[in-house]
Amino acid sequence: MTLDRFPDLAEMRVVDLGGTVEAWERAPVRPAHVTVLNLTEPGESASDSIVAVRGDACEAVPVLAAAGASTSFDLVFSNSVLEHVGGHANRSRLADSVHALAPRHWVQTPYRYFPIEPHWLFPGMQFLPLFMKARIAARWPLAHSPSPSLERATSAALWTELISVTEMRHYFPESEIARERFLRVTKSIIAIRS
């Protein structure tokens, strides 16, 4: 996230969908308040300015309300989560959460048509049939999170669906869709509403 897009970040109340407390504790600029919502391990913070809530980002408003956390923020931040929520219906629900929580957002996801699948660092893996993805996920040594069994590798492959610019525009129709590039090739896409 760039400060030129959000120069007042240090004064903002931010909700991070899918992030970790640790990432915000290491951030070069820390917002006035951060709520981290993560399905598995948001982490813990000794700081009153960072609140961790465990729950589904696709159901962010009711989950945050049930936890006694705020449901109104200045900015929604989400980095590499949209591709892991489980299909179009859940991506739509996540986008609805983003729109409901704040007037501004920064939502990044790896680009489907980048030649190397970023989670396994395997060329073209995102275009292969599931049985091949699972076998690669189970054996490929460069995986972001290696899978100890074929069953777990299949699950990891099923939970990872890279999306296109057209899909991103559908989920965030009033946002600018920015492109992160590597060697002039689009690597990631970002829905930005500043």
Side-chain angles (χ1 to χ4, degrees):
M1 181 168 36
T2 59
L3 286 175
D4 60 320
R5 298 286 187 150
F6 304 102
D8 55 340
L9 181 63
E11 289 84 45
M12 288 182 162
R13 293 180 48 79
V14 175
V15 61
D16 182 346
L17 302 180
T20 63
V21 167
E22 179 187 4
W24 287 103
E25 288 177 338
R26 291 183 290 125
V29 175
R30 190 181 300 176
H33 188 272
V34 178
T35 298
V36 177
L37 178 60
N38 190 306
L39 188 59
T40 56
E41 294 295 327
E44 295 180 12
S45 177
S47 170
D48 290 341
S49 67
I50 303 177
V51 173
V53 177
R54 183 176 288 203
D56 186 351
C58 297
E59 291 293 326
V61 173
V63 167
L64 292 169
S70 177
T71 59
S72 180
F73 300 90
D74 301 310
L75 174 70
V76 175
F77 175 84
S78 185
N79 187 43
S80 294
V81 173
L82 191 61
E83 75 273 19
H84 294 296
V85 297
H88 168 69
N90 285 339
R91 287 192 297 270
S92 291
R93 290 173 49 232
L94 181 68
D96 290 345
S97 289
V98 169
H99 298 305
L101 290 167
R104 301 189 282 177
H105 57 256
W106 191 96
V107 179
Q108 183 268 10
T109 188
Y111 181 50
R112 177 172 173 75
Y113 297 105
F114 186 68
I116 302 196
E117 203 292 333
H119 303 88
W120 287 276
L121 299 177
F122 191 91
M125 181 175 165
Q126 65 270 38
F127 305 114
L128 298 175
L130 179 59
F131 80 94
M132 291 178 75
K133 287 186 204 179
R135 283 176 174 57
I136 291 165
R139 293 184 177 93
W140 189 247
L142 301 178
H144 180 265
S145 300
S147 298
S149 69
L150 185 57
E151 181 180 331
R152 279 226 173 123
T154 301
S155 180
L158 283 168
W159 277 104
T160 306
E161 295 178 281
L162 303 183
I163 69 169
S164 68
V165 171
T166 302
E167 290 165 297
M168 192 69 135
R169 283 191 181 120
H170 175 77
Y171 301 126
F172 301 98
E174 296 179 15
S175 304
E176 172 192 347
I177 306 301
R179 297 169 184 250
E180 283 183 317
R181 298 180 192 273
F182 177 75
L183 300 176
R184 304 175 101 182
V185 178
T186 300
K187 173 180 82 68
S188 300
I189 50 178
I190 312 161
I192 302 170
R193 188 158 191 198
S194 52

